[in-house]
Amino acid sequence: MKRFATLFMLSLNLFPAFTVYAGEPNTQKQTFQHKDWYLACDNTGTCRAAGYAKEGSQENFEPGAIFLVRNAGAAAQVTGRFISEYSEEAVKQAQLSINGHSFGKLGPKGTLTKTQINGLLKVAKSNANIVITLNQSLWRISDRGMTAVFLKMDEMQGRVKTSSAMVSKGNRSLEKVFPEKSKPVIHQSPVQDKETQLIDTQNPLYKTLLKATQPMFDEYCDFPNNGEPIEYARLDDTHALAVRMCWMAAYNAASVAFVLSPTPPYTVHQVIGDVNVYDNGSLYMQMKGRGVGDCWSFKSWVYNGEKFLLANISDTGLCRGMPGGIAPMPTYTTEVIPPKR
């Protein structure tokens, strides 16, 4: 595996994201944040919510969050767990209390019991004092934004005014609840080159690739051409991949990938931006939300023999001190069927 660019210490928010020019689905309306709670729903209808300690609180010794998941469909139940920097073995000894009432120890790997989840839902529309303790550590999970996020989850899953709603219960028919959708299926094609090779200015192919990609590069990228090598991989007999550094900011950097013909006139068929890694027929993007690396955004694309198809979009929730973020919170997911061996 090769990286097209070292991830420089640049803010993701300081530079506008490069987009893929291939009819990607719009997932902007599938996330929602209100104060200390965050929601992400994917294209199957599954929603994930995370509630954090109030930012800047002095009584929380370590970062942590309550993480809730609910699939689509009227019968789907809410599941959850507590995520912290403690090991899964240690965190099962943690205890949850809500408004001063003990709800007992967490389950294996920090999972929340049905009773604990019901306790959270009962106080979702009122002020709640949510505390998790483990030995000398204490996490006070904020209730600021919880009601709004639960209402939005009900809305996104079609549960508003039904008996399956988290907070907005009513007598509306459960038939109105949105059913679970199937994941799009991508059949991944085998490729000739599993990694890219560097094409420098001494290679005759360099000028050819530069000429073929320059018009679109100039339109979308903000990076000087100082003779930087171009990364190149042969995908199959009729398609190749050329990758050029596109932009840099404080702690992120990204390249732009071109799918083009490997023979004259080297026609460009597809342009994909915000790329960091090519590996065996897949392209990957990973971006820090801020320098300490406590929140990330991810994308991936898979080659199907003609072009790279979007396979995944996800992030790791809010930037609240947890190295690497809390857990993947996808807004777009697929089933990738690998090539036959």
Side-chain angles (χ1 to χ4, degrees), residues 95-100 129-133 138-141:
Q95 299 203 32
L96 170 69
S97 68
I98 303 173
N99 290 341
N129 184 20
I130 305 166
V131 177
I132 294 174
T133 56
L138 178 147
W139 297 265
R140 193 179 300 279
I141 304 299

Side-chain angles (χ1 to χ4, degrees), residues 20-181:
V20 178
Y21 310 102
E24 282 192 4
N26 183 359
T27 62
Q28 291 183 349
K29 295 183 179 180
Q30 291 175 231
T31 62
F32 176 78
Q33 178 191 351
H34 190 62
K35 298 180 180 177
D36 299 316
W37 279 76
Y38 178 73
L39 174 70
C41 299
D42 67 30
N43 53 308
T44 71
T46 295
C47 290
R48 297 164 178 86
Y52 301 78
K54 183 179 179 180
E55 195 167 24
S57 173
Q58 298 300 312
E59 61 182 339
N60 294 280
F61 303 126
E62 293 92 8
I66 284 180
F67 185 71
L68 302 177
V69 181
R70 194 176 198 182
N71 294 338
Q77 300 298 307
V78 181
T79 61
R81 61 192 174 107
F82 172 64
I83 301 176
S84 73
E85 294 182 277
Y86 277 76
S87 69
E88 293 179 345
E89 180 64 24
V91 79
K92 71 179 183 181
Q93 300 298 319
Q95 299 203 32
L96 170 69
S97 68
I98 303 173
N99 290 341
H101 175 71
S102 175
F103 279 79
K105 291 183 178 180
L106 304 183
K109 301 181 180 180
T111 55
L112 301 181
T113 66
K114 185 176 181 180
T115 299
Q116 291 168 340
I117 290 174
N118 288 338
L120 286 171
L121 297 181
K122 285 181 180 179
V123 300
K125 296 175 71 174
S126 59
N127 294 333
N129 184 20
I130 305 166
V131 177
I132 294 174
T133 56
L134 176 62
N135 300 326
Q136 301 301 312
S137 296
L138 178 147
W139 297 265
R140 193 179 300 279
I141 304 299
S142 175
D143 64 344
R144 295 169 5 109
M146 181 168 64
T147 302
V149 162
F150 287 179
L151 282 169
K152 178 60 71 171
M153 186 186 292
D154 285 342
E155 176 188 323
M156 295 287 285
Q157 295 189 323
R159 301 182 191 279
V160 175
K161 301 301 180 182
T162 72
S163 60
S164 77
M166 297 177 74
V167 292
S168 54
K169 293 184 180 294
N171 297 320
R172 189 163 165 261
S173 173
L174 288 174
E175 293 181 356
K176 301 296 184 180
V177 176
F178 302 149
E180 186 173 9
K181 297 179 181 179

Side-chain angles (χ1 to χ4, degrees), residues 93 192 243:
Q93 300 298 319
Q192 294 181 16
V243 183

